[in-house]
mmCIF file of all heavy atoms in Angstrom:
data_model
loop_
_atom_site.group_PDB
_atom_site.id
_atom_site.type_symbol
_atom_site.label_atom_id
_atom_site.label_comp_id
_atom_site.label_asym_id
_atom_site.label_seq_id
_atom_site.Cartn_x
_atom_site.Cartn_y
_atom_site.Cartn_z
ATOM 1 N N HIS E 176 18.076 -31.301 -19.151
ATOM 2 C CA HIS E 176 16.858 -31.895 -19.823
ATOM 3 C C HIS E 176 15.628 -31.713 -18.951
ATOM 4 O O HIS E 176 14.528 -31.772 -19.488
ATOM 5 C CB HIS E 176 17.108 -33.394 -20.082
ATOM 6 C CG HIS E 176 18.105 -33.619 -21.160
ATOM 7 N ND1 HIS E 176 19.257 -34.264 -20.835
ATOM 8 C CD2 HIS E 176 18.163 -33.330 -22.452
ATOM 9 C CE1 HIS E 176 20.033 -34.402 -21.979
ATOM 10 N NE2 HIS E 176 19.340 -33.778 -22.918
ATOM 11 N N ALA E 177 15.776 -31.475 -17.709
ATOM 12 C CA ALA E 177 14.635 -31.216 -16.772
ATOM 13 C C ALA E 177 13.571 -32.316 -16.786
ATOM 14 O O ALA E 177 12.394 -32.006 -16.472
ATOM 15 C CB ALA E 177 14.069 -29.836 -17.089
ATOM 16 N N ASP E 178 14.036 -33.564 -16.987
ATOM 17 C CA ASP E 178 12.975 -34.625 -16.962
ATOM 18 C C ASP E 178 12.401 -34.891 -15.632
ATOM 19 O O ASP E 178 11.171 -35.265 -15.474
ATOM 20 C CB ASP E 178 13.674 -35.947 -17.537
ATOM 21 C CG ASP E 178 13.951 -35.902 -18.939
ATOM 22 O OD1 ASP E 178 13.350 -35.069 -19.662
ATOM 23 O OD2 ASP E 178 14.864 -36.551 -19.425
ATOM 24 N N ALA E 179 13.108 -34.675 -14.565
ATOM 25 C CA ALA E 179 12.633 -34.864 -13.182
ATOM 26 C C ALA E 179 11.535 -33.878 -12.898
ATOM 27 O O ALA E 179 10.481 -34.193 -12.269
ATOM 28 C CB ALA E 179 13.682 -34.843 -12.150
ATOM 29 N N THR E 180 11.723 -32.648 -13.418
ATOM 30 C CA THR E 180 10.630 -31.666 -13.176
ATOM 31 C C THR E 180 9.379 -32.028 -13.893
ATOM 32 O O THR E 180 8.280 -31.867 -13.291
ATOM 33 C CB THR E 180 11.218 -30.259 -13.735
ATOM 34 O OG1 THR E 180 12.318 -29.859 -13.095
ATOM 35 C CG2 THR E 180 10.146 -29.160 -13.621
ATOM 36 N N THR E 181 9.471 -32.575 -15.114
ATOM 37 C CA THR E 181 8.313 -32.946 -15.815
ATOM 38 C C THR E 181 7.667 -34.215 -15.123
ATOM 39 O O THR E 181 6.436 -34.245 -14.908
ATOM 40 C CB THR E 181 8.683 -33.417 -17.212
ATOM 41 O OG1 THR E 181 9.221 -32.320 -17.958
ATOM 42 C CG2 THR E 181 7.466 -33.869 -18.038
ATOM 43 N N GLY E 182 8.456 -35.162 -14.680
ATOM 44 C CA GLY E 182 7.948 -36.331 -14.112
ATOM 45 C C GLY E 182 7.311 -36.049 -12.670
ATOM 46 O O GLY E 182 6.436 -36.857 -12.308
ATOM 47 N N LEU E 183 7.644 -35.051 -12.029
ATOM 48 C CA LEU E 183 7.092 -34.688 -10.780
ATOM 49 C C LEU E 183 5.828 -33.811 -10.802
ATOM 50 O O LEU E 183 5.249 -33.411 -9.828
ATOM 51 C CB LEU E 183 8.125 -33.881 -9.969
ATOM 52 C CG LEU E 183 9.233 -34.732 -9.358
ATOM 53 C CD1 LEU E 183 10.500 -33.999 -8.997
ATOM 54 C CD2 LEU E 183 8.727 -35.490 -8.047
ATOM 55 N N GLY E 184 5.386 -33.579 -12.113
ATOM 56 C CA GLY E 184 4.146 -32.926 -12.271
ATOM 57 C C GLY E 184 4.189 -31.471 -11.866
ATOM 58 O O GLY E 184 3.146 -30.951 -11.312
ATOM 59 N N VAL E 185 5.199 -30.825 -12.045
ATOM 60 C CA VAL E 185 5.390 -29.400 -11.577
ATOM 61 C C VAL E 185 4.588 -28.414 -12.432
ATOM 62 O O VAL E 185 4.613 -28.501 -13.651
ATOM 63 C CB VAL E 185 6.920 -29.026 -11.612
ATOM 64 C CG1 VAL E 185 7.041 -27.544 -11.344
ATOM 65 C CG2 VAL E 185 7.680 -29.777 -10.541
ATOM 66 N N ARG E 186 3.842 -27.641 -11.729
ATOM 67 C CA ARG E 186 3.064 -26.541 -12.433
ATOM 68 C C ARG E 186 3.503 -25.230 -11.894
ATOM 69 O O ARG E 186 2.971 -24.647 -10.900
ATOM 70 C CB ARG E 186 1.599 -26.732 -12.197
ATOM 71 C CG ARG E 186 1.069 -28.028 -12.821
ATOM 72 C CD ARG E 186 -0.473 -28.198 -12.601
ATOM 73 N NE ARG E 186 -0.984 -29.315 -13.346
ATOM 74 C CZ ARG E 186 -0.844 -30.612 -12.843
ATOM 75 N NH1 ARG E 186 -0.328 -30.853 -11.736
ATOM 76 N NH2 ARG E 186 -1.426 -31.554 -13.576
ATOM 77 N N PRO E 187 4.538 -24.568 -12.478
ATOM 78 C CA PRO E 187 5.092 -23.394 -11.945
ATOM 79 C C PRO E 187 4.104 -22.187 -12.131
ATOM 80 O O PRO E 187 3.271 -22.124 -13.012
ATOM 81 C CB PRO E 187 6.361 -23.066 -12.724
ATOM 82 C CG PRO E 187 6.096 -23.836 -14.060
ATOM 83 C CD PRO E 187 5.239 -25.019 -13.714
ATOM 84 N N SER E 188 4.198 -21.180 -11.247
ATOM 85 C CA SER E 188 3.409 -19.975 -11.348
ATOM 86 C C SER E 188 4.301 -18.751 -11.074
ATOM 87 O O SER E 188 4.143 -17.991 -10.110
ATOM 88 C CB SER E 188 2.253 -19.999 -10.328
ATOM 89 O OG SER E 188 2.746 -20.209 -8.951
ATOM 90 N N GLY E 189 5.269 -18.644 -11.976
ATOM 91 C CA GLY E 189 6.180 -17.507 -11.913
ATOM 92 C C GLY E 189 7.508 -17.735 -11.157
ATOM 93 O O GLY E 189 8.353 -16.845 -11.094
ATOM 94 N N GLN E 190 7.746 -18.887 -10.620
ATOM 95 C CA GLN E 190 9.001 -19.201 -10.037
ATOM 96 C C GLN E 190 10.155 -19.305 -10.982
ATOM 97 O O GLN E 190 9.938 -19.672 -12.182
ATOM 98 C CB GLN E 190 8.896 -20.539 -9.165
ATOM 99 C CG GLN E 190 7.963 -20.447 -7.985
ATOM 100 C CD GLN E 190 6.533 -20.878 -8.367
ATOM 101 O OE1 GLN E 190 6.170 -20.904 -9.461
ATOM 102 N NE2 GLN E 190 5.784 -21.188 -7.314
ATOM 103 N N THR E 191 11.351 -19.073 -10.459
ATOM 104 C CA THR E 191 12.522 -19.120 -11.342
ATOM 105 C C THR E 191 13.193 -20.495 -11.266
ATOM 106 O O THR E 191 13.218 -21.144 -10.177
ATOM 107 C CB THR E 191 13.596 -18.058 -10.857
ATOM 108 O OG1 THR E 191 12.913 -16.772 -10.954
ATOM 109 C CG2 THR E 191 14.811 -18.023 -11.740
ATOM 110 N N ASP E 192 13.693 -21.008 -12.388
ATOM 111 C CA ASP E 192 14.345 -22.308 -12.356
ATOM 112 C C ASP E 192 15.741 -22.187 -11.741
ATOM 113 O O ASP E 192 16.267 -21.164 -11.552
ATOM 114 C CB ASP E 192 14.499 -22.816 -13.824
ATOM 115 C CG ASP E 192 15.370 -21.876 -14.700
ATOM 116 O OD1 ASP E 192 16.594 -22.081 -14.611
ATOM 117 O OD2 ASP E 192 14.836 -21.049 -15.401
ATOM 118 N N VAL E 193 16.226 -23.379 -11.357
ATOM 119 C CA VAL E 193 17.513 -23.458 -10.640
ATOM 120 C C VAL E 193 18.738 -22.949 -11.377
ATOM 121 O O VAL E 193 19.586 -22.391 -10.816
ATOM 122 C CB VAL E 193 17.772 -24.902 -10.127
ATOM 123 C CG1 VAL E 193 18.120 -25.834 -11.252
ATOM 124 C CG2 VAL E 193 18.766 -24.936 -9.015
ATOM 125 N N GLY E 194 18.652 -23.136 -12.685
ATOM 126 C CA GLY E 194 19.808 -22.639 -13.519
ATOM 127 C C GLY E 194 19.957 -21.131 -13.356
ATOM 128 O O GLY E 194 21.070 -20.568 -13.180
ATOM 129 N N ARG E 195 18.845 -20.373 -13.429
ATOM 130 C CA ARG E 195 18.950 -18.906 -13.367
ATOM 131 C C ARG E 195 19.225 -18.514 -11.850
ATOM 132 O O ARG E 195 19.919 -17.432 -11.656
ATOM 133 C CB ARG E 195 17.650 -18.275 -13.842
ATOM 134 C CG ARG E 195 17.452 -18.356 -15.309
ATOM 135 C CD ARG E 195 16.179 -17.769 -15.798
ATOM 136 N NE ARG E 195 16.131 -17.703 -17.262
ATOM 137 C CZ ARG E 195 15.833 -18.618 -18.083
ATOM 138 N NH1 ARG E 195 15.614 -19.893 -17.603
ATOM 139 N NH2 ARG E 195 15.888 -18.576 -19.398
ATOM 140 N N LEU E 196 18.803 -19.270 -10.924
ATOM 141 C CA LEU E 196 19.128 -18.950 -9.590
ATOM 142 C C LEU E 196 20.620 -19.147 -9.288
ATOM 143 O O LEU E 196 21.214 -18.369 -8.546
ATOM 144 C CB LEU E 196 18.329 -19.942 -8.584
ATOM 145 C CG LEU E 196 16.842 -19.702 -8.542
ATOM 146 C CD1 LEU E 196 16.167 -20.794 -7.577
ATOM 147 C CD2 LEU E 196 16.464 -18.277 -8.051
ATOM 148 N N LEU E 197 21.230 -20.120 -9.894
ATOM 149 C CA LEU E 197 22.636 -20.371 -9.729
ATOM 150 C C LEU E 197 23.505 -19.253 -10.263
ATOM 151 O O LEU E 197 24.575 -18.952 -9.721
ATOM 152 C CB LEU E 197 23.116 -21.631 -10.607
ATOM 153 C CG LEU E 197 22.668 -22.988 -9.951
ATOM 154 C CD1 LEU E 197 22.946 -24.081 -10.980
ATOM 155 C CD2 LEU E 197 23.380 -23.223 -8.671
ATOM 156 N N ARG E 198 22.903 -18.483 -11.248
ATOM 157 C CA ARG E 198 23.658 -17.329 -11.825
ATOM 158 C C ARG E 198 23.993 -16.296 -10.846
ATOM 159 O O ARG E 198 24.970 -15.631 -10.906
ATOM 160 C CB ARG E 198 22.865 -16.751 -13.023
ATOM 161 C CG ARG E 198 23.603 -15.690 -13.737
ATOM 162 C CD ARG E 198 22.818 -15.201 -14.980
ATOM 163 N NE ARG E 198 23.492 -14.277 -15.675
ATOM 164 C CZ ARG E 198 23.128 -13.718 -16.871
ATOM 165 N NH1 ARG E 198 21.965 -14.077 -17.379
ATOM 166 N NH2 ARG E 198 23.800 -12.795 -17.523
ATOM 167 N N ASN E 199 23.066 -16.104 -9.845
ATOM 168 C CA ASN E 199 23.248 -15.106 -8.775
ATOM 169 C C ASN E 199 23.007 -15.721 -7.463
ATOM 170 O O ASN E 199 22.138 -15.327 -6.703
ATOM 171 C CB ASN E 199 22.365 -13.933 -9.075
ATOM 172 C CG ASN E 199 22.708 -12.734 -8.230
ATOM 173 O OD1 ASN E 199 23.814 -12.646 -7.643
ATOM 174 N ND2 ASN E 199 21.824 -11.703 -8.169
ATOM 175 N N ALA E 200 23.788 -16.787 -7.167
ATOM 176 C CA ALA E 200 23.497 -17.642 -6.038
ATOM 177 C C ALA E 200 23.561 -16.895 -4.653
ATOM 178 O O ALA E 200 22.832 -17.226 -3.757
ATOM 179 C CB ALA E 200 24.574 -18.802 -5.997
ATOM 180 N N ARG E 201 24.413 -15.937 -4.587
ATOM 181 C CA ARG E 201 24.558 -15.136 -3.230
ATOM 182 C C ARG E 201 23.298 -14.425 -2.933
ATOM 183 O O ARG E 201 22.916 -14.251 -1.749
ATOM 184 C CB ARG E 201 25.720 -14.283 -3.233
ATOM 185 C CG ARG E 201 27.065 -15.053 -3.230
ATOM 186 C CD ARG E 201 28.226 -14.061 -3.083
ATOM 187 N NE ARG E 201 29.532 -14.813 -2.999
ATOM 188 C CZ ARG E 201 30.672 -14.204 -2.849
ATOM 189 N NH1 ARG E 201 30.796 -12.880 -2.752
ATOM 190 N NH2 ARG E 201 31.784 -14.910 -2.767
ATOM 191 N N ARG E 202 22.655 -13.923 -3.968
ATOM 192 C CA ARG E 202 21.473 -13.074 -3.702
ATOM 193 C C ARG E 202 20.098 -13.865 -3.953
ATOM 194 O O ARG E 202 19.101 -13.366 -3.430
ATOM 195 C CB ARG E 202 21.518 -11.828 -4.599
ATOM 196 C CG ARG E 202 22.634 -10.887 -4.308
ATOM 197 C CD ARG E 202 22.554 -9.670 -5.187
ATOM 198 N NE ARG E 202 23.671 -8.746 -4.848
ATOM 199 C CZ ARG E 202 23.814 -7.541 -5.536
ATOM 200 N NH1 ARG E 202 22.978 -7.206 -6.483
ATOM 201 N NH2 ARG E 202 24.868 -6.830 -5.275
ATOM 202 N N ALA E 203 20.155 -14.924 -4.711
ATOM 203 C CA ALA E 203 19.009 -15.596 -5.011
ATOM 204 C C ALA E 203 18.353 -16.256 -3.802
ATOM 205 O O ALA E 203 19.038 -16.685 -2.854
ATOM 206 C CB ALA E 203 19.296 -16.592 -6.100
ATOM 207 N N ASP E 204 17.049 -16.384 -3.824
ATOM 208 C CA ASP E 204 16.244 -17.003 -2.770
ATOM 209 C C ASP E 204 15.652 -18.326 -3.262
ATOM 210 O O ASP E 204 14.607 -18.254 -3.941
ATOM 211 C CB ASP E 204 15.128 -16.092 -2.274
ATOM 212 C CG ASP E 204 14.395 -16.615 -1.130
ATOM 213 O OD1 ASP E 204 14.668 -17.620 -0.760
ATOM 214 O OD2 ASP E 204 13.606 -15.798 -0.515
ATOM 215 N N LEU E 205 16.353 -19.428 -3.074
ATOM 216 C CA LEU E 205 15.797 -20.719 -3.490
ATOM 217 C C LEU E 205 14.437 -21.060 -2.900
ATOM 218 O O LEU E 205 13.582 -21.508 -3.566
ATOM 219 C CB LEU E 205 16.852 -21.797 -3.187
ATOM 220 C CG LEU E 205 16.428 -23.194 -3.611
ATOM 221 C CD1 LEU E 205 16.145 -23.308 -5.100
ATOM 222 C CD2 LEU E 205 17.480 -24.220 -3.159
ATOM 223 N N GLY E 206 14.344 -20.718 -1.567
ATOM 224 C CA GLY E 206 13.077 -21.062 -0.832
ATOM 225 C C GLY E 206 11.847 -20.379 -1.515
ATOM 226 O O GLY E 206 10.739 -20.936 -1.476
ATOM 227 N N ALA E 207 12.086 -19.191 -2.106
ATOM 228 C CA ALA E 207 10.905 -18.476 -2.684
ATOM 229 C C ALA E 207 10.598 -18.989 -4.082
ATOM 230 O O ALA E 207 9.559 -18.559 -4.697
ATOM 231 C CB ALA E 207 11.251 -16.997 -2.768
ATOM 232 N N ASN E 208 11.490 -19.829 -4.562
ATOM 233 C CA ASN E 208 11.219 -20.300 -6.038
ATOM 234 C C ASN E 208 11.067 -21.803 -6.088
ATOM 235 O O ASN E 208 11.080 -22.316 -7.293
ATOM 236 C CB ASN E 208 12.432 -19.836 -6.803
ATOM 237 C CG ASN E 208 12.385 -18.383 -7.112
ATOM 238 O OD1 ASN E 208 11.722 -17.860 -7.960
ATOM 239 N ND2 ASN E 208 13.186 -17.560 -6.300
ATOM 240 N N ILE E 209 10.873 -22.490 -5.030
ATOM 241 C CA ILE E 209 10.586 -23.909 -5.118
ATOM 242 C C ILE E 209 9.045 -24.064 -5.460
ATOM 243 O O ILE E 209 8.187 -23.175 -5.133
ATOM 244 C CB ILE E 209 10.916 -24.656 -3.825
ATOM 245 C CG1 ILE E 209 10.227 -24.010 -2.632
ATOM 246 C CG2 ILE E 209 12.409 -24.709 -3.662
ATOM 247 C CD1 ILE E 209 10.392 -24.774 -1.342
ATOM 248 N N VAL E 210 8.752 -25.235 -6.083
ATOM 249 C CA VAL E 210 7.337 -25.490 -6.533
ATOM 250 C C VAL E 210 6.932 -26.820 -5.914
ATOM 251 O O VAL E 210 7.675 -27.753 -5.988
ATOM 252 C CB VAL E 210 7.334 -25.499 -8.076
ATOM 253 C CG1 VAL E 210 5.874 -25.645 -8.538
ATOM 254 C CG2 VAL E 210 7.937 -24.277 -8.682
ATOM 255 N N PRO E 211 5.737 -26.926 -5.377
ATOM 256 C CA PRO E 211 5.250 -28.245 -4.906
ATOM 257 C C PRO E 211 5.119 -29.180 -6.067
ATOM 258 O O PRO E 211 4.707 -28.841 -7.199
ATOM 259 C CB PRO E 211 3.880 -27.834 -4.303
ATOM 260 C CG PRO E 211 3.884 -26.387 -4.092
ATOM 261 C CD PRO E 211 4.743 -25.782 -5.136
ATOM 262 N N ALA E 212 5.609 -30.402 -5.831
ATOM 263 C CA ALA E 212 5.343 -31.514 -6.820
ATOM 264 C C ALA E 212 3.850 -31.745 -6.959
ATOM 265 O O ALA E 212 3.080 -31.667 -5.939
ATOM 266 C CB ALA E 212 6.116 -32.760 -6.373
ATOM 267 N N GLY E 213 3.443 -31.970 -8.163
ATOM 268 C CA GLY E 213 2.027 -32.255 -8.418
ATOM 269 C C GLY E 213 1.555 -33.506 -7.780
ATOM 270 O O GLY E 213 0.380 -33.698 -7.533
ATOM 271 N N TRP E 214 2.550 -34.374 -7.350
ATOM 272 C CA TRP E 214 2.159 -35.637 -6.664
ATOM 273 C C TRP E 214 1.461 -35.337 -5.329
ATOM 274 O O TRP E 214 0.656 -36.186 -4.867
ATOM 275 C CB TRP E 214 3.377 -36.419 -6.409
ATOM 276 C CG TRP E 214 4.160 -36.942 -7.579
ATOM 277 C CD1 TRP E 214 3.769 -36.766 -8.961
ATOM 278 C CD2 TRP E 214 5.325 -37.612 -7.537
ATOM 279 N NE1 TRP E 214 4.816 -37.323 -9.702
ATOM 280 C CE2 TRP E 214 5.712 -37.878 -8.865
ATOM 281 C CE3 TRP E 214 6.254 -38.057 -6.567
ATOM 282 C CZ2 TRP E 214 6.887 -38.520 -9.244
ATOM 283 C CZ3 TRP E 214 7.362 -38.738 -6.890
ATOM 284 C CH2 TRP E 214 7.683 -38.948 -8.275
ATOM 285 N N VAL E 215 1.785 -34.317 -4.616
ATOM 286 C CA VAL E 215 1.262 -34.071 -3.316
ATOM 287 C C VAL E 215 -0.266 -33.973 -3.329
ATOM 288 O O VAL E 215 -0.944 -34.516 -2.388
ATOM 289 C CB VAL E 215 1.930 -32.821 -2.678
ATOM 290 C CG1 VAL E 215 1.246 -32.543 -1.292
ATOM 291 C CG2 VAL E 215 3.447 -33.014 -2.510
ATOM 292 N N ALA E 216 -0.798 -33.386 -4.322
ATOM 293 C CA ALA E 216 -2.232 -33.111 -4.395
ATOM 294 C C ALA E 216 -3.029 -34.556 -4.543
ATOM 295 O O ALA E 216 -4.139 -34.619 -4.061
ATOM 296 C CB ALA E 216 -2.626 -32.308 -5.579
ATOM 297 N N THR E 217 -2.329 -35.569 -5.040
ATOM 298 C CA THR E 217 -2.946 -36.818 -5.161
ATOM 299 C C THR E 217 -2.416 -37.900 -4.156
ATOM 300 O O THR E 217 -2.647 -39.111 -4.239
ATOM 301 C CB THR E 217 -2.708 -37.463 -6.558
ATOM 302 O OG1 THR E 217 -1.308 -37.549 -6.831
ATOM 303 C CG2 THR E 217 -3.238 -36.536 -7.658
#
């Protein structure tokens, strides 16, 4: 449902969601696809 993503005020700019990263976990780079929570700016 991704409600935590919504509640954290995430504004992605091309990053891949965790579900698609799980599909190829050995090669995927989680660190390159994390997004700052919108809360940090405030």
Side-chain angles (χ1 to χ4, degrees):
H176 291 116
D178 291 335
T180 299
T181 301
L183 285 158
V185 170
R186 294 178 175 84
S188 55
Q190 293 91 342
T191 302
D192 63 83
V193 70
R195 289 177 171 82
L196 294 174
L197 288 169
R198 186 174 183 178
N199 194 12
R201 290 187 178 181
R202 296 183 180 179
D204 185 352
L205 177 59
N208 288 283
I209 57 176
V210 186
W214 297 356
V215 175
T217 58

